[in-house]
Amino acid sequence: MSELGSPILLDDLGHEDVLLSCGSARGGFWLFDQQKGQLFNYNSTMMLINKSVSINSLADGVGSPTWMIEKNNQVYLNIPNYGILVFNAFGSYLNTIPLVSIKDFQLINNSIIYYNNQALIEYDLKTEQTNSLNLPDSLEIINSKILNNNLYIFMKNRVSIYSITKNQE
């Protein structure tokens, strides 16, 4: 591995309590500063581009975010006891997706995919419908992910990989 750039000193940007960060499709990155309770978007030259309102005004007292991802010009911030807060590319709050008790998730096409209760769950963002797939060896599973038409199932001492095939109608 080779370093792509100098380390980013978040204290120098005025952030002392960064809980989460994720890349941005426009270059740069997003971060969530827990002390300030806000999302901040920086470009590749470390210039602040956008910031959100305080999430305390949206979800006060419900716990800390555990996962953040940007996809399709939107930032998704997961708060397990509350839901997934959605912000646009400018940091403006759009809505809350009422999915609780999840640790992390993936965004694939127009769906949120996450592991919960021995199953892989798909939540369609347009229809708000869910589908679930019970997983094998479910009692030992820690988490699961989909990547390149493969399902990765993470267990305590191993990873199982399954090929995903589409049903032909």
Side-chain angles (χ1 to χ4, degrees), residues 5 9 15 29-30 35 48 71 76 88-89 94 143 152 165:
L9 302 174
H15 302 287
F29 59 96
W30 286 90
Q35 183 179 23
L48 178 63
K71 185 83 169 195
Y76 297 79
N88 68 15
L94 298 174
N143 205 348
Y152 294 80
T165 56

Side-chain angles (χ1 to χ4, degrees), residues 73-108:
N73 289 317
Q74 294 182 332
V75 179
Y76 297 79
L77 185 68
N78 181 53
I79 304 174
N81 296 328
Y82 187 75
I84 301 171
L85 303 179
V86 183
F87 300 84
N88 68 15
F90 304 106
S92 297
Y93 171 75
L94 298 174
N95 65 310
T96 300
I97 300 168
L99 296 176
V100 296
S101 301
I102 62 175
K103 182 175 75 174
D104 63 18
F105 57 90
Q106 295 176 274
L107 285 156
I108 300 175

Side-chain angles (χ1 to χ4, degrees), residues 11 39 47 50 56 77 82 85 95 114 117 152 161 163:
D11 287 348
L39 292 171
M47 178 184 286
N50 297 301
N56 295 334
L77 185 68
Y82 187 75
L85 303 179
N95 65 310
Y114 61 97
N117 295 327
Y152 294 80
I161 304 170
S163 178

Side-chain angles (χ1 to χ4, degrees), residues 9-98:
L9 302 174
L10 298 176
D11 287 348
D12 290 349
L13 297 175
H15 302 287
E16 297 177 7
D17 192 11
V18 174
L19 183 63
L20 300 167
S21 66
C22 69
S24 174
R26 295 172 315 282
F29 59 96
W30 286 90
L31 60 82
F32 176 75
D33 185 316
Q34 181 153 316
Q35 183 179 23
K36 296 175 182 170
Q38 292 175 279
L39 292 171
F40 294 85
N41 180 217
Y42 288 89
N43 67 14
S44 59
T45 63
M46 302 309 120
M47 178 184 286
L48 178 63
I49 302 299
N50 297 301
K51 65 181 179 177
S52 72
V53 298
S54 171
I55 68 159
N56 295 334
S57 66
L58 305 169
D60 191 26
V62 295
S64 297
T66 60
W67 187 252
M68 181 170 71
I69 189 169
E70 181 197 83
K71 185 83 169 195
N72 301 323
N73 289 317
Q74 294 182 332
V75 179
Y76 297 79
L77 185 68
N78 181 53
I79 304 174
N81 296 328
Y82 187 75
I84 301 171
L85 303 179
V86 183
F87 300 84
N88 68 15
F90 304 106
S92 297
Y93 171 75
L94 298 174
N95 65 310
T96 300
I97 300 168

Side-chain angles (χ1 to χ4, degrees), residues 136-153:
D137 300 321
S138 61
L139 295 178
E140 298 179 19
I141 296 174
I142 297 169
N143 205 348
S144 63
K145 298 287 180 187
I146 295 174
L147 181 63
N148 298 329
N149 291 321
N150 290 322
L151 171 63
Y152 294 80
I153 299 177

